[in-house]
Amino acid sequence: AFSAGAELFKVFKSGCIEKLSAIKPDKGLVNIRDLIENTGGIQPALFLPDGVFNNLVKQQLKLPDNPSLNAVEKSHGSLKTSVDMIASRTLGKHPKLAAEVSLIASEILAEQMKETKHYIKQYLTNEHSYINTNHPEFIERYELAADMFRVAAVDMRNKKDADANEKKAGQMTYINTHTYAANSTAFGKLMSKYAAGDTIETNQRASNEAELLLKLIIQYFCIVRSQLTDVILKAIMRYMVRDLTSTLPN
C-alpha cells in the first residue's frame, strides 16, 4: 500500500540526512596554524584568536546552506507527487475533481515551500551570526579534546626527559605565551587549561594548538548539523504537511 508519509521520509533521508552527513566539516580548511600565527603580525600571539575560530566556523557553517534548501525542494516534489497519486486513486471516477484537487494542492505547496525556505534561511542566518562557544555540548567536547592533548603532552615529555626530575615528569609541557583574552569567555578559559605549561618548543605548541583548533571547529560544526537536520524536518512538517492536510478537506 502507498504511504505518503513513508515516501516523504525516504526522500528526506536521501535528500537531507544523507546529504548533510556527507559534508566534511573540515572541507577547505588549510594552514590553520598560519592563520593563528598571523593574527599577531610580527609579534607572538598574546591570546588565542577567537576571531580566527569564529570566522572559520562561520565559513564552514555555509556548507549546509544549499543542501538544506534543496531538501525542502525535494520534499515539496515528493508531497506533490503523493497528492497527485492519491487524488488519482481516490477520485478516479471523477477526473475533473481529481485535477482540481491536485491543482489546489500544488498551489498550497508552492506557497508553503516559500515559507519553509524562508524559515530555514532565517535559521541558517542566525547560526552564522553568532558562534555560541558557551554551548554545553561544545564545552563538554572541548574538555574531552583538551584532556587528550594534555595526556599526549605528558607522554611526549616523558619520552624526551626520561632522566629528568620526577617532580617534573607529569607536568604540562606547553609554553604559555597566550593569555586567551584574559579568560573573558568560556572558550578562553578552556584554552587556558589546555595551554598551561612552559617547557615545550614553540613550534610544537603551535602545531598542537592548530590541531586542537581544527578539532573544535569540526565539533562545533557537528553540533549545528545535528540540530539543523531536526529543524528542517520540523519546518517541513509545520509549513507544508500540516497546512496542506488542514486546507485540502475544506
Side-chain angles (χ1 to χ4, degrees), residues 190-218:
L190 290 167
M191 283 305 293
S192 300
K193 290 172 59 179
Y194 159 70
D198 60 4
T199 60
I200 201 170
E201 295 177 358
T202 301
N203 185 57
Q204 183 62 52
R205 177 196 55 75
S207 296
N208 289 340
E209 188 175 78
E211 185 178 352
L212 177 59
L213 185 59
L214 177 60
K215 288 182 180 294
L216 295 179
I217 292 170
I218 293 173

Side-chain angles (χ1 to χ4, degrees), residues 133-182:
T133 54
N134 290 299
H135 191 292
E137 188 174 351
F138 177 73
I139 293 176
E140 179 181 354
R141 293 187 183 191
Y142 180 99
E143 289 179 330
L144 290 173
D147 285 341
M148 288 192 298
F149 273 87
R150 282 196 289 270
V151 171
V154 171
D155 289 343
M156 182 184 299
R157 184 171 186 273
N158 287 340
K159 289 180 180 180
K160 289 184 176 181
D161 303 320
D163 298 327
N165 191 305
E166 290 184 358
K167 292 183 180 180
K168 297 181 179 179
Q171 291 179 353
M172 287 296 300
T173 58
Y174 293 97
I175 292 179
N176 191 13
T177 60
H178 297 293
T179 60
Y180 302 97

Side-chain angles (χ1 to χ4, degrees), residues 13-44:
K13 183 175 183 293
S14 62
C16 181
I17 297 176
E18 292 178 0
K19 293 293 184 182
L20 291 179
S21 298
I23 298 175
K24 294 183 178 180
D26 60 348
K27 180 180 179 180
L29 290 179
V30 294
N31 299 325
I32 291 183
R33 177 175 168 179
D34 290 342
L35 289 172
I36 294 175
E37 293 177 348
N38 289 340
T39 57
I42 60 174
Q43 298 294 329

Side-chain angles (χ1 to χ4, degrees), residues 64-135:
D65 286 6
N66 288 334
S68 299
L69 298 177
N70 288 340
V72 175
E73 294 176 356
K74 289 181 180 296
S75 297
H76 165 266
S78 173
L79 286 168
K80 186 176 183 304
T81 299
S82 295
V83 170
D84 291 344
M85 186 177 296
I86 293 172
S88 177
R89 288 183 179 183
T90 58
L91 300 172
K93 295 181 180 180
H94 309 281
K96 290 185 178 181
L97 180 58
E100 184 66 21
V101 170
S102 293
L103 178 60
I104 293 173
S106 178
E107 292 174 349
I108 294 172
L109 285 172
E111 186 63 30
Q112 293 311 113
M113 181 178 67
K114 294 179 183 178
E115 292 290 329
T116 308
K117 293 177 75 171
H118 176 72
Y119 178 85
I120 297 302
K121 287 179 180 179
Q122 287 293 102
Y123 180 85
L124 292 168
T125 298
N126 291 340
E127 289 293 345
H128 299 164
S129 65
Y130 179 69
I131 306 304
N132 182 20
T133 54
N134 290 299
H135 191 292

